[in-house]
Amino acid sequence: MGDTSSAILTWIEHQEAWAPLLFIGIHLLRPFLFLPVMLVCITGGVWFGPIAGTAYSVIGTMLSSLLFYRTIRLVPSGLKRLRGLKEKWMKKNAHLTVKQVAVLRLIPFIHFHLLSYCLLEISADFKEYAKSSLFANFPLAVVYTSMGQWISLLSIPMMIIFSIFLVVLSFTIRKKIEVFVWKDFFHTAP
């Protein structure tokens, strides 16, 4: 699969006028090609430079997020799987804030669509989800596109330290209040 992905990326590099549209298309096909978002954004920075690469990556990740919003309800097994993953890693009634999702998107090994699901849960409608996704996707595109070479030069221990720093940062900007449902707080005996 890795050879196929690199062949596709090399082919796109030689398409000149079509390259931006093909690059955005790669963002949409990324989950099916098993390409990490980080790799696609770094590639955009190398091909198009930091400004255009960031713009194309923002467009691509936004379209991917919006496509996720429109299609996740059509695949109940996928929705159930994401719900199960979220419950496995977080408390039952815990919800991430948009700022936390933005920071967690910077961690290379966290599932992109799991974080999209977290945004879906806290959004009232499509418009709010779109705004939240734009806010959460923008730092990802900026950091990985403009600093692609710096990040690619980091050693594995430095990447782990960077990831731990981002997790701690996400924890410190969390929502400081928690709402309990009456029946969950006071368990009634049967």
Side-chain angles (χ1 to χ4, degrees), residues 58-127:
V58 167
I59 293 168
T61 56
M62 272 303 294
L63 289 175
S64 179
S65 294
L66 298 178
L67 184 65
F68 169 81
Y69 181 90
R70 291 295 186 197
T71 60
I72 192 61
R73 291 185 176 94
L74 301 175
V75 185
S77 62
L79 187 62
K80 185 177 179 181
R81 182 172 170 245
L82 287 173
R83 187 177 299 124
L85 270 173
K86 181 187 173 265
E87 289 175 1
K88 180 179 176 182
W89 292 102
M90 297 172 58
K91 294 179 189 175
K92 183 179 179 183
N93 293 323
H95 295 286
L96 295 175
T97 65
V98 177
K99 290 178 186 176
Q100 284 177 303
V101 171
V103 170
L104 289 173
R105 285 241 163 113
L106 296 174
I107 300 173
F109 309 108
I110 293 187
H111 196 286
F112 183 83
H113 290 305
L114 175 61
L115 294 175
S116 293
Y117 173 75
C118 292
L119 289 176
L120 181 71
E121 280 191 331
I122 62 172
S123 300
D125 57 3
F126 179 74
K127 186 176 179 179

Side-chain angles (χ1 to χ4, degrees), residues 4-48:
T4 305
S5 301
S6 56
I8 290 170
L9 295 176
T10 304
W11 179 77
I12 288 175
E13 194 173 56
H14 299 339
Q15 297 307 310
E16 295 179 22
W18 290 96
L21 291 175
L22 293 171
F23 178 72
I24 292 168
I26 289 293
H27 270 289
L28 296 174
L29 295 174
R30 178 194 50 74
F32 306 109
L33 298 173
F34 302 106
L35 294 172
V37 178
M38 173 184 70
L39 175 67
V40 177
C41 290
I42 289 171
T43 305
V46 171
W47 287 347
F48 304 111

